[in-house]
Amino acid sequence: MSPVVARLPKITENISSQLDSIRGLAAISVVIGHANQVLLAPFYERLSPWLGLLAQSSVMIFFVLSGFLIGKSISSNIAKNGGALSLKKYLGDRIIRIWPPLLLSIALLILLYQIAPFVFASGSRAFLSMPGHALARQEFTYEPMQLLGAAVAVNGFFTDTPNSNGALWSLSIEVWYYLLAAIVAWPKRWWKLASIPAVAALLYVGWNNDQFYYYLPVWWAGYLISILHNRSVLPPAKYLWLAATVFLFPAIFFATKTLTVEDARTAWHFLVLYNIATGLCFSAILALILVGSAKFTTIFRSAAPYSYTLYIIHMPILLFLFGIVQPWMQRSVLLCPLIAVGSVVCIIAIARLAALVVENRNKVKSFFIHAAI
């Protein structure tokens, strides 16, 4: 399923800015949701369900944008390489994009794990006990096999996702979607037949991670939109508005069920359905933006260059900060929101600085070249 055509339509600078702004806001929303979960929820729980849904829907936005941008990347790759996908270029771009921030997040987690006993109020890596209050985590943990699994993007498939960086659950799924897209878009003679068992094998292994299948339609909705956009055959705006509405109402219904059902397992299944409906609703909105029938503010576009780094480093930093400031928050409820806001600002600043290196493709390429030499 190659999204390439003879002449690819360009995404205007204005639309690109809107998509960047959406990506930046989604990353910040995830951080706010987790800041509430780690720092505020133990003291004030009322916001948690709503901010939790906000964080979940933001991840679905990431999935849709990821599918769309990968579709665009593959189409550009094929157009520049005589009508055939350059697998070397495709994989090289993905490695440069994914692994520098990912390895930074793993190194950061290990570093914070080592420092924690010296700065945590408990004098260990455990958080202070709070009877009657639910903590996001009981302690700051470090499992070598979990980190190794995350480093090679098999967490959730063959290893558990690192407990102190739960945000990594979605990254491994995305990487496997990238691989699936490459297999499908590389139709070289003999590979047309060989790709069938390759796809089957990948889907078979995917059974180890239910969420790989749950969110497959969300990611591929974004990919499909890239194909339709390349061919200038996106549906008329009235049908896209109808599609957005059709998925919006189930999303509201599933959100309500998620918040009201008492059984945790049943609530989780409703959450999955909410995520799928939300993702498909946003895919229709993305198409509306592409055809110029919907607009999104560009205020948050400056956050796009560090949004990925922000997403994968924020959770261990939040847990680390909580271990330090927990006694102060217990003494004064008024300090809690101030500390939460300050923590979010601090994490954004760290991500912004780190991204200047790990999300700078030229610097990363230069590093690999010097390392090879």
Side-chain angles (χ1 to χ4, degrees):
M1 184 168 55
S2 171
V4 72
V5 292
R7 185 174 182 179
L8 297 173
K10 292 184 178 180
I11 298 177
T12 66
E13 184 176 345
N14 180 261
I15 290 178
S16 180
S17 295
Q18 292 180 61
L19 300 186
D20 282 345
S21 186
I22 293 172
R23 185 155 53 99
L25 178 59
I28 294 172
S29 297
V30 172
V31 177
I32 291 173
H34 286 160
N36 172 76
Q37 180 188 20
V38 174
L39 299 172
L40 294 181
F43 309 96
Y44 186 77
E45 299 178 357
R46 291 187 179 181
L47 293 177
S48 293
W50 303 102
L51 291 178
L53 290 176
L54 174 65
Q56 289 287 320
S57 59
S58 295
V59 175
M60 293 305 105
I61 289 173
F62 279 137
F63 276 148
V64 174
L65 289 177
S66 172
F68 176 77
L69 294 173
I70 288 298
K72 285 295 182 180
S73 176
I74 287 176
S75 63
S76 176
N77 182 311
I78 293 174
K80 292 177 181 178
N81 289 281
L85 178 68
S86 171
L87 199 58
K88 179 180 178 181
K89 177 72 166 67
Y90 176 78
L91 294 178
D93 287 344
R94 302 288 76 73
I95 289 172
I96 289 173
R97 169 63 176 160
I98 296 167
W99 266 272
L102 174 58
L103 295 178
L104 170 66
S105 73
I106 292 172
L108 180 64
L109 192 153
I110 295 173
L111 175 63
L112 298 181
Y113 175 84
Q114 298 298 331
I115 298 174
F118 300 101
V119 295
F120 274 23
S122 65
S124 67
R125 296 182 178 92
F127 300 114
L128 296 175
S129 176
M130 295 180 60
H133 299 275
L135 299 181
R137 301 290 187 275
Q138 297 301 314
E139 60 180 321
F140 196 103
T141 59
Y142 161 47
E143 293 290 341
M145 286 305 299
Q146 292 179 0
L147 292 185
L148 178 60
V152 295
V154 298
N155 58 293
F157 295 90
F158 298 106
T159 67
D160 291 332
T161 296
N163 188 52
S164 294
N165 196 352
L168 295 180
W169 74 267
S170 65
L171 181 61
S172 60
I173 294 175
E174 278 197 66
V175 171
W176 284 53
Y177 290 159
Y178 298 162
L179 181 58
L180 182 59
I183 293 173
V184 172
W186 198 44
K188 287 188 175 180
R189 300 171 185 168
W190 58 271
W191 183 250
K192 290 181 181 180
L193 291 177
S195 64
I196 296 174
V199 169
L202 191 149
L203 294 177
Y204 176 76
V205 175
W207 282 113
N208 292 330
N209 188 343
D210 292 344
Q211 295 182 100
F212 171 81
Y213 278 98
Y214 293 156
Y215 303 129
L216 201 64
V218 175
W219 193 90
W220 283 91
Y223 190 93
L224 176 62
I225 288 171
S226 74
I227 296 176
L228 297 178
H229 183 259
N230 285 345
R231 301 180 184 280
S232 300
V233 291
L234 283 169
K238 62 180 180 180
Y239 296 118
L240 294 173
W241 280 115
L242 177 62
T245 304
V246 165
F247 290 119
L248 176 62
F249 283 106
I252 295 172
F253 172 77
F254 294 135
T256 303
K257 299 296 288 185
T258 299
L259 299 178
T260 55
V261 170
E262 294 184 1
D263 179 69
R265 187 65 180 172
T266 303
W268 186 81
H269 283 130
F270 277 119
L271 178 61
V272 169
L273 292 172
Y274 163 79
N275 284 340
I276 295 171
T278 301
L280 295 177
C281 178
F282 175 72
S283 67
I285 294 173
L286 171 61
L288 283 165
I289 291 174
L290 292 172
V291 299
S293 295
K295 288 187 177 181
F296 188 81
T297 178
T298 59
I299 293 175
F300 302 99
R301 67 183 183 277
S302 61
Y306 59 86
S307 59
Y308 172 44
T309 300
L310 178 63
Y311 179 74
I312 63 174
I313 72 169
H314 74 274
M315 194 62 178
I317 299 177
L318 282 171
L319 292 170
F320 183 77
L321 292 175
F322 181 65
I324 298 173
V325 303
Q326 189 179 3
W328 299 343
M329 300 182 78
Q330 287 178 292
R331 293 192 199 107
S332 174
V333 176
L334 295 177
L335 276 178
C336 293
L338 295 177
I339 291 175
V341 171
S343 298
V344 170
V345 171
C346 176
I347 293 170
I348 289 175
I350 293 172
R352 187 170 184 173
L353 288 174
L356 294 175
V357 177
V358 296
E359 292 200 56
N360 185 313
R361 296 194 176 194
N362 292 330
K363 289 185 179 181
V364 172
K365 286 181 180 179
S366 177
F367 172 80
F368 280 128
I369 291 172
H370 285 301
I373 294 174

